[in-house]
Amino acid sequence: MSHNSFGHLFRITTWGESHGPAIGCVVDGCPPGIPITEAEIQSYLDKRRPGQSKYTTQRKEPDTVEILSGVFANDEGEQVTTGTPIALQIKNVDARSKDYGDIKDKFRPGHADYTYAEKYGVRDYRGSGRASARETATRVAAGAVARKVVPGLRVRGALVQVGPHKIDRANWNWDAVNENPFFCPDPKAAEIWADFLDEVRKSGSSTGAVIEIVADGVPVGLGAPLYAKLDQDICSGLMSINAVKGVEIGSGFEAAALSGEENADEIRNGPPGWPTFLSNHAGGILGGISTGQPVVARFAVKPTSSILQPRNTIDKDGNNTEVVTKGRHDPCVGIRAVPIGEAMVAIVLADHYLRHRGQTGQDAAQDIDANLDWLPTDSSS
Amino acid sequence: MSHNSFGHLFRITTWGESHGPAIGCVVDGCPPGIPITEAEIQSYLDKRRPGQSKYTTQRKEPDTVEILSGVFANDEGEQVTTGTPIALQIKNVDARSKDYGDIKDKFRPGHADYTYAEKYGVRDYRGSGRASARETATRVAAGAVARKVVPGLRVRGALVQVGPHKIDRANWNWDAVNENPFFCPDPKAAEIWADFLDEVRKSGSSTGAVIEIVADGVPVGLGAPLYAKLDQDICSGLMSINAVKGVEIGSGFEAAALSGEENADEIRNGPPGWPTFLSNHAGGILGGISTGQPVVARFAVKPTSSILQPRNTIDKDGNNTEVVTKGRHDPCVGIRAVPIGEAMVAIVLADHYLRHRGQTGQDAAQDIDANLDWLPTDSSS
Amino acid sequence: MSHNSFGHLFRITTWGESHGPAIGCVVDGCPPGIPITEAEIQSYLDKRRPGQSKYTTQRKEPDTVEILSGVFANDEGEQVTTGTPIALQIKNVDARSKDYGDIKDKFRPGHADYTYAEKYGVRDYRGSGRASARETATRVAAGAVARKVVPGLRVRGALVQVGPHKIDRANWNWDAVNENPFFCPDPKAAEIWADFLDEVRKSGSSTGAVIEIVADGVPVGLGAPLYAKLDQDICSGLMSINAVKGVEIGSGFEAAALSGEENADEIRNGPPGWPTFLSNHAGGILGGISTGQPVVARFAVKPTSSILQPRNTIDKDGNNTEVVTKGRHDPCVGIRAVPIGEAMVAIVLADHYLRHRGQTGQDAAQDIDANLDWLPTDSSS
Amino acid sequence: MSHNSFGHLFRITTWGESHGPAIGCVVDGCPPGIPITEAEIQSYLDKRRPGQSKYTTQRKEPDTVEILSGVFANDEGEQVTTGTPIALQIKNVDARSKDYGDIKDKFRPGHADYTYAEKYGVRDYRGSGRASARETATRVAAGAVARKVVPGLRVRGALVQVGPHKIDRANWNWDAVNENPFFCPDPKAAEIWADFLDEVRKSGSSTGAVIEIVADGVPVGLGAPLYAKLDQDICSGLMSINAVKGVEIGSGFEAAALSGEENADEIRNGPPGWPTFLSNHAGGILGGISTGQPVVARFAVKPTSSILQPRNTIDKDGNNTEVVTKGRHDPCVGIRAVPIGEAMVAIVLADHYLRHRGQTGQDAAQDIDANLDWLPTDSSS
């Protein structure tokens, strides 16, 4: 067990505070021989990086990753994983700790200030310390490695709701996701969100969001009953992200309102080893084990608790007071949660891929490309 | 790591198949000196036991629990835990394996038949084998032990939605929960559900449901950032239950539509060490750590996939065919999921209570009774 | 983590006390499709079974194993593992708890009475409860499964020292091991031990012993630096056996007196992928990873603390007193430790085989038979 | 599970290669509020630091430790642990990779070259990469934190054998340990070793050694049956150190030759809760649980495999060849193993202290000072 590790055979351990000298993670158990470079990891970090639009925090962090161990040149001179721990480190360069003097002794509502103080008796209050979403950069870095562990795996995410505004799923276009500052697959919704978020931002408020992650190319058989279910571990991984309050797989909470015949995905003859499911209410997982269909997960992020409006609270001596949270904050942390959610799903899949291979000896020799061909394009149908 | 264990310091390992000779679990790491009897565990099993109303499966299982180890008489002659593994065992007595001959070679839609077959190459198909909800009896037994680990803890559950029919939260009455066959806290909703479920049952169909679990008496400080968050582990525990497709904490998915000022629970001066929160959108957890407010979790259960209507599927050779699932099934597995959900939340809380005590040395010396007095009665407000 | 589990991908969890109704273990993570029967497991239990000669305890336990889950008939009708937890159970049938009334309140020197009492405050004193070597029957049962996980693996053990009397390694004959009541590979030493142990037994005393375990057919590459070394986990497994006070690999403590050129095993060209080592001081492990040579481990067992001679001790109130340990005890627990040590080594190798396959994707396609052919017959040279 | 982590509640994860930019570790689960500074950690690193005498490697590494997270000023301005992960980092500054060009393609006997190559297919051969004892610096750093977790704990080590030369235990003097370059408690033996090691060093050879670690101030009750025995975890920790081939507790392998009445430590009335043991053959542990007596462990280190004499081996293509290991090496790695062994024992004790507190709620309120007073001074008696 560990309080700051995640995964089993593919395992990450993260460390660092928002305003400390650096943050980092150790990726342990990665298979050897996987080509990986700092540039490749950086490309994912750049998606999560703050300050890229007016809709995210203005803190200027280059989030430059360094690989400190676990990668070495193979006989062909290519940098590959060696099977030993991969230490990834990101220096903090734009911390403004003075912004946080006011909250040293006050507990911000919706934040972990009170609970950390009660649990540990001491806390690094600067930029929320360990409770800061800054830690998630290390997850994205680790996720970049994880993505390469499962041959043929593709993990993509999108924002599907901002505040009360949901996308129209009929407009879903994966290409659109990278063409707006919201990772929104519905160009029309993106316009509505832009107006909505301008308003939220100007009023010093914040808003929640829902993110959807879709993984395709997932081999059949990942996961295990019971207590090591693939959906269970995906939910665990997503719930471990700051501000997440709900997680669902496939039809999720909507399944509660369905009948058995509506919900259970019928099966038809398909390519050998890859039957065709006529729908994907299951989100690609049955009995905790992947079906070969796309794995579909969604998670809800609460509105940022750091807002400019004064709020009732107490100080550490128990006195009633008010607090206003300055500092540079995301009006909607859900936006940057997209690459983070992708990373966590990739990490869970990498872990279960290795666990499955360990227990059963099965590798991914199945024709993943064939699989992708016949899969329904609307993974959430 | 383990595929069939859950928890860390308080840890359960379960075994057994639906139609094998018995099912059981080993509870490891339980503190010594806790009084526990078979009768006490039985009282919780009796809540989950099948065949108690026409709305659940008619399989007649007494679910009689035996304690095989880990409990011994103390100096006062009271049976108490000894700190060594507690083996709990329940014999299967009413398995009708012949009902399942038809599905030996066919994959039932919505079931784990296909994924088990692909992953393991062999499966105990009788009554779904390991994938059967029968395994959950062992969780309830383990949960009965877990409830006694945290002094002052009370974990209660209720069904809050059946199919499309939600309760009216204004009618919430905990006393009503045990007065209808649905664990429904809203007597009026219970009547609607009775009619709805009669219809579902007669038509050979099934329906989904949503369950809410509320734990009060939870000390401040349980959980840990990051990857050992209390909410993360609760979600993991609930998602490990058969048929669960979504999990949420506090306001959950609704938080996505809120603003920061609506969502973040304000704090006022309360009893020493127990500030008063003016609302509980957080569901009793901030930054992954308990606040002392009631912990509130909800989970969605899909409709039973075992239905009498013929469904398209394939057999193990890949041929198209149809399947009808006979056997004795719950039209709404959500009903019996209530005591199961309670058990999983109790297990997570017991585990984190020990972990917290281990890391910080804090015990539960806080005045839990005082806590319960001032807590808002409507834990979901 | 767990207090009563061992291993990771291949993992056992044991439960039960000496005089409780039964003892058992859950084997989790076993690969599916491995043929296994109760008779096969029984054959190993019969080696460890008490009461087979005058040199072991006269407690009459048939040690009959039952498989309660995790095994099912495959398409050919053969009983095979299903990949789900295998529950193994052995009933206790010859407990004589009245022998232990005297030690209820006294701490026997060399026993765990005092430490259990201080740690847990309550203990099952009958037959030493959880601290009894009776628990090791479940290890032997689990080991019988583990042996089948690694293709081509053979794990054998022998007693190499009883009290001050060591074997003459020049006489080593594996066939002799099963031809005397001591698992002794040196027929001449067996004669000396028979006399020595008769004397020990008659005087109500006891003696220690050293056991050697040799595993051949171990593929290259099992284990991992650092903290998951194969030798580390073998030592951990052997030290987890009751009464073990020392463990060593290859040349072990004698390596301390050697020079680098004496100790480091030189390498010569051998079959592809299987170089010839000119000696095996390393005990088949370099840098925590198996070399393909036989894995050689030894462990020292202290003399049984249950002796008939009166010993100084205190009672639970701290008063000085004397204690005489009646009951039926082994004068040399080292004898029956041989099959137990074999089981633990097999369990570690099975676990690391799965972990290695998980991380690297390598299976055991190497020609193990070829390997066995050219290996030096004297594995301890 | 993890390949590069150790411990459970108090858990270290290490990373880094001998010639990479840095090495480091993450200490997770440390209790909050423990004062710790870089200077304090440095004092232990300085004991292990290379190049301090002619008897250790001449590589000049300052081994300067940096704390990158997990420590913050409390209200009194003192730097204390916050309960979040403590990242410790040490830069490599004196790597001479060119020394290792020759071994890029050759497998050094006694080294992990061959096994790494077979397992991973790629390896950082420079200075042995991950298999280098350089990694142990991070253990010493983590051990400095661990020492402070258990109130009143003192962990000390000494070299008790170099090559064939053992100390005379009658001369044991803890004060002498820091007055010679060998951590030798017997001043006379130190003189013999000096001559012996000069010879070894000049001849380009190397020698093995035995180290003894003694921990006093260990509370009663640490450890747990079975598979989480304190002695088991100490052995696991010591065996995880490079070059260790054997481990023993208390009388260890000598116990095999003893009778039950010689070995079992008698008990007499002592201070409340702290009975007096008349000897300590048990090494402070009975049934896997600490007795309150000093915990005594010994481990054997093989002679350094890096020697200047030419040795038979093969290259990576399987061709017979010779290899000479240049580079800067310790003629006796056992010397610097003393602080490393201390660190590992401290880490195990810290972990079990937290586990014990978690399960039982017992803290260390016992009067440790009183304990130290009456304990036999000769812990190995």
Side-chain angles (χ1 to χ4, degrees):
Chain A
M1 72 161 285
S2 189
H3 306 298
N4 289 277
S5 297
F6 186 77
H8 296 269
L9 278 191
F10 186 94
R11 184 175 182 90
I12 65 167
T13 299
T14 80
W15 56 269
E17 281 86 36
S18 181
H19 289 207
I23 54 177
C25 74
V26 182
V27 178
D28 193 16
C30 186
I34 296 180
I36 193 85
T37 62
E38 288 174 348
E40 200 168 359
I41 298 171
Q42 196 65 47
S43 69
Y44 291 99
L45 281 166
D46 289 348
K47 285 182 71 179
R48 194 212 72 104
R49 191 152 52 83
Q52 301 193 88
S53 82
K54 61 183 173 183
Y55 305 107
T56 60
T57 172
Q58 297 306 301
R59 180 168 167 176
K60 297 294 183 194
E61 286 289 350
D63 278 352
T64 307
V65 69
E66 293 171 272
I67 300 175
L68 296 182
S69 68
V71 171
F72 197 69
N74 64 9
D75 285 351
E76 288 73 42
E78 190 178 27
Q79 294 292 313
V80 298
T81 57
T82 61
T84 61
I86 304 167
L88 302 171
Q89 190 167 302
I90 297 167
K91 293 210 174 71
N92 291 324
V93 302
D94 186 31
R96 281 198 214 151
S97 302
K98 69 178 160 53
D99 287 350
Y100 293 88
D102 189 42
I103 63 155
K104 181 169 181 285
D105 298 328
K106 290 180 182 176
F107 301 136
R108 291 167 298 167
H111 272 284
D113 300 344
Y114 169 65
T115 51
Y116 270 60
E118 284 291 311
K119 184 180 183 79
Y120 299 118
V122 59
R123 67 189 171 98
D124 180 349
Y125 59 84
R126 304 166 308 167
S128 297
R130 181 70 181 155
S132 169
R134 178 132 191 79
E135 182 266 355
T136 58
T138 70
R139 303 173 183 235
V140 172
V145 180
R147 286 168 190 270
K148 306 198 74 171
V149 169
V150 187
L153 175 69
R154 179 174 61 178
V155 182
R156 296 183 289 184
L159 205 60
V160 297
Q161 181 183 338
V162 169
H165 305 290
K166 298 185 182 185
I167 62 162
D168 179 348
R169 302 187 77 89
N171 295 341
W172 192 296
N173 177 1
W174 278 113
D175 292 335
V177 164
N178 293 314
E179 291 166 0
N180 60 67
F182 312 111
F183 302 110
C184 178
D186 171 2
K188 287 192 185 154
E191 289 171 28
I192 296 166
W193 295 354
D195 292 342
F196 175 71
L197 283 168
D198 274 335
E199 210 174 312
V200 165
R201 193 171 50 86
K202 283 172 190 160
S203 65
S205 182
S206 65
T207 188
V210 176
I211 295 96
E212 182 165 322
I213 308 292
V214 180
D216 43 35
V218 178
V220 185
L222 306 197
L226 290 160
Y227 312 110
K229 293 186 165 199
L230 185 60
D231 34 2
Q232 174 188 0
D233 284 354
I234 287 174
C235 284
S236 176
L238 294 174
M239 278 298 300
S240 76
I241 301 171
N242 313 51
V244 175
K245 299 303 285 184
V247 186
E248 60 183 14
I249 299 290
S251 291
F253 274 87
E254 286 186 11
L258 298 180
S259 67
E261 53 273 31
E262 287 167 329
N263 179 72
D265 306 306
E266 293 187 298
I267 318 176
R268 295 280 82 185
N269 193 347
W274 295 97
T276 300
F277 289 87
L278 304 184
S279 54
N280 191 12
H281 294 286
I285 302 172
L286 284 173
I289 299 172
S290 60
T291 63
Q293 284 197 288
V295 169
V296 182
R298 266 177 306 282
F299 60 104
V301 174
K302 71 179 182 184
T304 319
S305 297
S306 301
I307 50 178
L308 287 170
Q309 301 180 15
R311 304 284 289 157
N312 284 320
T313 193
I314 56 172
D315 64 20
K316 69 177 181 178
D317 298 318
N319 303 309
N320 285 340
T321 182
E322 280 195 346
V323 69
V324 169
T325 307
K326 295 171 200 159
R328 298 158 295 175
H329 302 287
D330 293 271
C332 177
V333 286
I335 300 172
R336 297 202 289 140
V338 173
I340 303 164
E342 290 176 13
M344 293 312 294
V345 170
I347 289 167
V348 172
L349 290 167
D351 186 32
H352 274 283
Y353 179 77
L354 301 185
R355 293 170 73 169
H356 177 64
R357 185 162 73 180
Q359 188 183 11
T360 69
Q362 291 177 27
D363 62 15
Q366 295 103 331
D367 188 353
I368 300 284
D369 290 336
N371 180 20
L372 291 177
D373 283 347
W374 62 266
L375 284 168
T377 48
D378 182 358
S379 61
S380 62
S381 66
Chain B
M1 70 160 285
S2 190
H3 304 300
N4 290 276
S5 297
F6 186 78
H8 296 269
L9 278 191
F10 186 93
R11 184 174 182 90
I12 65 167
T13 300
T14 80
W15 55 269
E17 280 87 36
S18 182
H19 290 206
I23 55 176
C25 74
V26 183
V27 178
D28 193 16
C30 186
I34 296 180
I36 192 88
T37 62
E38 289 175 348
E40 200 169 0
I41 299 172
Q42 196 64 48
S43 68
Y44 291 99
L45 281 166
D46 289 347
K47 286 182 70 178
R48 195 212 72 102
R49 192 152 50 83
Q52 302 193 89
S53 81
K54 61 184 173 182
Y55 305 107
T56 60
T57 172
Q58 297 305 302
R59 179 168 168 177
K60 298 293 182 194
E61 287 288 352
D63 279 355
T64 306
V65 69
E66 293 172 272
I67 300 175
L68 296 181
S69 68
V71 171
F72 197 68
N74 64 10
D75 285 350
E76 289 74 40
E78 189 178 28
Q79 294 292 314
V80 298
T81 57
T82 61
T84 61
I86 304 167
L88 302 171
Q89 190 166 302
I90 297 166
K91 294 211 172 71
N92 292 325
V93 302
D94 186 31
R96 282 198 213 148
S97 302
K98 69 178 160 53
D99 287 350
Y100 294 88
D102 190 44
I103 64 158
K104 180 168 181 285
D105 298 328
K106 291 180 180 177
F107 301 135
R108 291 167 297 167
H111 272 284
D113 300 344
Y114 169 65
T115 51
Y116 269 60
E118 284 290 311
K119 183 179 185 80
Y120 300 118
V122 59
R123 68 190 170 98
D124 180 349
Y125 59 86
R126 305 165 307 166
S128 296
R130 180 72 182 153
S132 167
R134 177 130 193 79
E135 182 266 355
T136 58
T138 70
R139 303 173 185 235
V140 172
V145 181
R147 286 169 188 270
K148 305 198 73 171
V149 170
V150 186
L153 176 68
R154 181 173 60 179
V155 182
R156 295 183 290 184
L159 205 60
V160 297
Q161 182 182 338
V162 169
H165 306 290
K166 299 186 183 185
I167 61 161
D168 178 349
R169 303 186 76 87
N171 295 340
W172 192 294
N173 176 1
W174 278 112
D175 292 334
V177 164
N178 292 316
E179 293 166 359
N180 60 68
F182 311 112
F183 303 109
C184 179
D186 170 2
K188 288 192 184 154
E191 289 171 29
I192 296 166
W193 294 354
D195 291 343
F196 175 71
L197 282 168
D198 274 335
E199 209 174 314
V200 165
R201 193 170 51 85
K202 285 172 189 160
S203 66
S205 182
S206 64
T207 188
V210 176
I211 295 96
E212 181 165 322
I213 308 292
V214 180
D216 42 35
V218 179
V220 185
L222 306 198
L226 292 158
Y227 313 109
K229 293 185 166 201
L230 184 61
D231 35 2
Q232 174 188 0
D233 285 352
I234 287 173
C235 285
S236 175
L238 295 174
M239 280 297 299
S240 76
I241 301 171
N242 312 51
V244 176
K245 299 303 284 184
V247 186
E248 60 184 15
I249 298 290
S251 293
F253 275 87
E254 285 186 12
L258 298 180
S259 67
E261 53 274 31
E262 287 166 331
N263 180 72
D265 306 307
E266 291 187 299
I267 317 176
R268 295 280 83 185
N269 193 346
W274 295 97
T276 300
F277 288 87
L278 304 184
S279 53
N280 190 12
H281 294 286
I285 302 172
L286 285 173
I289 299 172
S290 60
T291 62
Q293 284 196 287
V295 168
V296 182
R298 265 177 306 281
F299 61 103
V301 173
K302 70 179 182 184
T304 319
S305 297
S306 300
I307 51 177
L308 287 170
Q309 302 180 15
R311 303 285 289 157
N312 286 318
T313 192
I314 57 173
D315 64 19
K316 68 178 183 177
D317 298 318
N319 303 309
N320 286 339
T321 183
E322 279 196 345
V323 70
V324 168
T325 308
K326 294 171 201 156
R328 297 159 295 175
H329 303 289
D330 293 271
C332 176
V333 286
I335 300 171
R336 296 204 288 139
V338 173
I340 304 165
E342 289 176 12
M344 294 311 295
V345 170
I347 289 167
V348 172
L349 290 169
D351 186 32
H352 275 283
Y353 178 77
L354 301 186
R355 293 169 73 169
H356 177 63
R357 185 162 72 179
Q359 188 182 11
T360 69
Q362 292 176 28
D363 61 17
Q366 295 105 332
D367 187 352
I368 299 285
D369 291 334
N371 180 19
L372 291 177
D373 284 346
W374 63 264
L375 284 169
T377 48
D378 182 359
S379 61
S380 63
S381 65
Chain C
M1 69 162 286
S2 190
H3 305 299
N4 289 278
S5 297
F6 186 77
H8 295 270
L9 278 190
F10 186 93
R11 184 175 182 90
I12 64 166
T13 300
T14 80
W15 56 268
E17 279 88 36
S18 182
H19 289 206
I23 55 175
C25 75
V26 183
V27 178
D28 193 16
C30 186
I34 295 180
I36 193 87
T37 62
E38 288 175 349
E40 200 168 1
I41 298 172
Q42 195 65 48
S43 69
Y44 291 100
L45 280 167
D46 288 348
K47 286 181 70 179
R48 194 212 73 103
R49 192 151 51 82
Q52 302 193 89
S53 82
K54 61 183 172 181
Y55 305 106
T56 60
T57 171
Q58 296 305 303
R59 179 168 168 176
K60 297 293 183 194
E61 287 288 351
D63 280 354
T64 307
V65 70
E66 292 171 272
I67 300 176
L68 296 182
S69 68
V71 170
F72 198 69
N74 65 9
D75 285 351
E76 289 74 41
E78 190 177 27
Q79 295 291 314
V80 297
T81 58
T82 61
T84 61
I86 304 167
L88 302 171
Q89 192 166 301
I90 297 166
K91 293 211 174 71
N92 292 326
V93 302
D94 186 32
R96 282 199 214 149
S97 301
K98 69 180 158 53
D99 287 350
Y100 294 88
D102 190 43
I103 64 156
K104 181 168 181 287
D105 298 328
K106 291 179 180 177
F107 302 135
R108 291 168 297 167
H111 272 284
D113 300 344
Y114 168 65
T115 51
Y116 270 59
E118 284 290 311
K119 184 181 183 79
Y120 299 119
V122 59
R123 67 190 169 97
D124 181 350
Y125 59 85
R126 304 166 306 167
S128 297
R130 180 72 181 154
S132 168
R134 177 132 192 78
E135 183 266 356
T136 58
T138 70
R139 303 173 184 235
V140 172
V145 181
R147 285 168 189 270
K148 306 199 73 172
V149 169
V150 186
L153 176 68
R154 180 174 59 179
V155 182
R156 296 183 289 184
L159 206 60
V160 297
Q161 181 182 338
V162 170
H165 305 289
K166 300 186 184 187
I167 61 162
D168 178 349
R169 303 187 75 88
N171 295 340
W172 192 294
N173 176 1
W174 278 112
D175 292 333
V177 165
N178 293 313
E179 293 166 359
N180 60 67
F182 312 112
F183 304 109
C184 178
D186 170 2
K188 287 191 185 154
E191 289 170 29
I192 297 165
W193 295 353
D195 292 341
F196 174 71
L197 282 168
D198 275 333
E199 209 174 314
V200 165
R201 194 169 50 85
K202 284 172 191 160
S203 66
S205 181
S206 64
T207 188
V210 176
I211 295 96
E212 180 164 323
I213 308 292
V214 180
D216 43 34
V218 179
V220 185
L222 306 198
L226 292 158
Y227 312 110
K229 292 186 166 200
L230 184 60
D231 34 3
Q232 174 188 359
D233 285 352
I234 287 174
C235 285
S236 175
L238 294 174
M239 280 296 300
S240 76
I241 301 171
N242 312 51
V244 176
K245 299 305 283 183
V247 186
E248 60 183 16
I249 299 290
S251 293
F253 275 87
E254 285 187 11
L258 299 180
S259 69
E261 52 274 32
E262 287 166 332
N263 179 72
D265 306 307
E266 291 188 299
I267 317 176
R268 294 281 81 184
N269 193 346
W274 295 96
T276 300
F277 289 88
L278 303 185
S279 53
N280 191 12
H281 294 286
I285 302 173
L286 285 173
I289 299 172
S290 60
T291 63
Q293 284 196 288
V295 168
V296 182
R298 265 177 307 281
F299 60 104
V301 174
K302 70 180 182 184
T304 319
S305 297
S306 301
I307 51 178
L308 287 170
Q309 301 180 14
R311 303 284 289 157
N312 286 318
T313 192
I314 56 172
D315 64 20
K316 67 179 183 177
D317 299 318
N319 303 310
N320 286 340
T321 182
E322 279 195 345
V323 69
V324 169
T325 307
K326 294 169 201 158
R328 299 159 293 176
H329 302 288
D330 293 272
C332 176
V333 287
I335 299 171
R336 296 203 288 139
V338 172
I340 303 165
E342 288 176 13
M344 293 312 295
V345 170
I347 289 167
V348 171
L349 289 168
D351 187 32
H352 274 284
Y353 178 76
L354 301 186
R355 293 170 72 167
H356 176 64
R357 184 162 74 179
Q359 188 183 11
T360 69
Q362 290 177 30
D363 61 17
Q366 296 105 331
D367 188 351
I368 299 283
D369 289 336
N371 179 20
L372 292 177
D373 283 348
W374 63 265
L375 284 169
T377 48
D378 182 359
S379 60
S380 63
S381 66
Chain D
M1 71 162 285
S2 189
H3 305 299
N4 290 277
S5 298
F6 186 77
H8 296 269
L9 278 190
F10 186 93
R11 185 175 182 89
I12 66 167
T13 299
T14 80
W15 56 268
E17 279 87 36
S18 181
H19 290 206
I23 55 177
C25 74
V26 182
V27 178
D28 194 15
C30 186
I34 295 179
I36 194 86
T37 62
E38 289 175 348
E40 200 168 1
I41 299 172
Q42 196 64 47
S43 69
Y44 291 99
L45 282 166
D46 288 349
K47 286 181 70 179
R48 195 212 72 103
R49 191 151 52 82
Q52 303 192 90
S53 81
K54 61 184 173 182
Y55 305 107
T56 60
T57 172
Q58 297 305 300
R59 180 168 168 177
K60 298 293 184 194
E61 286 290 350
D63 279 352
T64 306
V65 68
E66 293 172 90
I67 300 175
L68 296 181
S69 68
V71 171
F72 198 68
N74 65 9
D75 284 351
E76 289 73 42
E78 190 178 28
Q79 294 293 313
V80 297
T81 57
T82 60
T84 61
I86 304 167
L88 302 171
Q89 191 167 300
I90 297 166
K91 294 209 172 70
N92 292 325
V93 302
D94 186 32
R96 282 197 214 152
S97 302
K98 69 180 159 52
D99 286 350
Y100 293 88
D102 190 41
I103 63 155
K104 180 168 181 286
D105 298 328
K106 291 180 180 176
F107 302 135
R108 293 167 297 168
H111 272 283
D113 300 345
Y114 168 65
T115 51
Y116 270 60
E118 283 292 310
K119 183 179 184 80
Y120 299 118
V122 59
R123 68 190 169 99
D124 180 349
Y125 59 85
R126 303 166 308 166
S128 297
R130 180 70 181 154
S132 168
R134 178 132 191 77
E135 182 266 355
T136 58
T138 70
R139 302 173 184 236
V140 173
V145 181
R147 285 168 190 270
K148 305 199 73 172
V149 169
V150 187
L153 176 69
R154 179 173 61 178
V155 182
R156 295 182 289 184
L159 206 59
V160 297
Q161 181 182 339
V162 169
H165 306 290
K166 299 186 184 186
I167 62 162
D168 178 348
R169 301 187 77 90
N171 295 339
W172 191 295
N173 176 1
W174 278 113
D175 292 335
V177 165
N178 293 314
E179 292 167 359
N180 59 67
F182 311 112
F183 303 110
C184 179
D186 170 2
K188 286 191 185 153
E191 288 171 30
I192 296 165
W193 295 354
D195 291 342
F196 175 70
L197 283 168
D198 274 335
E199 211 175 310
V200 166
R201 192 169 52 84
K202 283 172 190 161
S203 67
S205 182
S206 63
T207 188
V210 176
I211 296 96
E212 181 165 322
I213 309 291
V214 180
D216 42 36
V218 178
V220 184
L222 306 199
L226 290 159
Y227 311 111
K229 293 185 166 201
L230 184 61
D231 34 2
Q232 174 188 1
D233 286 353
I234 287 173
C235 284
S236 175
L238 294 174
M239 280 296 301
S240 76
I241 301 171
N242 312 52
V244 176
K245 299 304 284 183
V247 185
E248 60 183 15
I249 299 291
S251 292
F253 275 87
E254 286 186 11
L258 298 180
S259 67
E261 54 273 31
E262 287 166 331
N263 180 71
D265 306 306
E266 292 187 300
I267 318 176
R268 294 279 82 185
N269 193 346
W274 295 96
T276 300
F277 289 88
L278 303 184
S279 54
N280 191 12
H281 294 286
I285 302 173
L286 285 172
I289 299 173
S290 59
T291 63
Q293 282 197 289
V295 169
V296 181
R298 266 176 306 281
F299 60 104
V301 173
K302 71 180 182 184
T304 319
S305 297
S306 301
I307 50 179
L308 287 170
Q309 302 180 13
R311 303 284 290 155
N312 284 319
T313 193
I314 56 172
D315 64 20
K316 68 178 183 179
D317 298 319
N319 302 310
N320 285 340
T321 181
E322 279 195 345
V323 68
V324 169
T325 307
K326 296 171 199 157
R328 299 160 293 176
H329 302 287
D330 292 271
C332 176
V333 286
I335 299 170
R336 295 204 289 138
V338 174
I340 303 165
E342 289 175 12
M344 293 312 293
V345 170
I347 289 167
V348 172
L349 289 168
D351 187 31
H352 274 283
Y353 179 77
L354 301 185
R355 292 171 73 169
H356 176 63
R357 185 163 71 180
Q359 188 182 10
T360 68
Q362 291 176 29
D363 60 16
Q366 295 103 332
D367 188 352
I368 300 285
D369 290 335
N371 180 21
L372 292 177
D373 284 347
W374 63 265
L375 285 169
T377 48
D378 182 359
S379 60
S380 64
S381 67

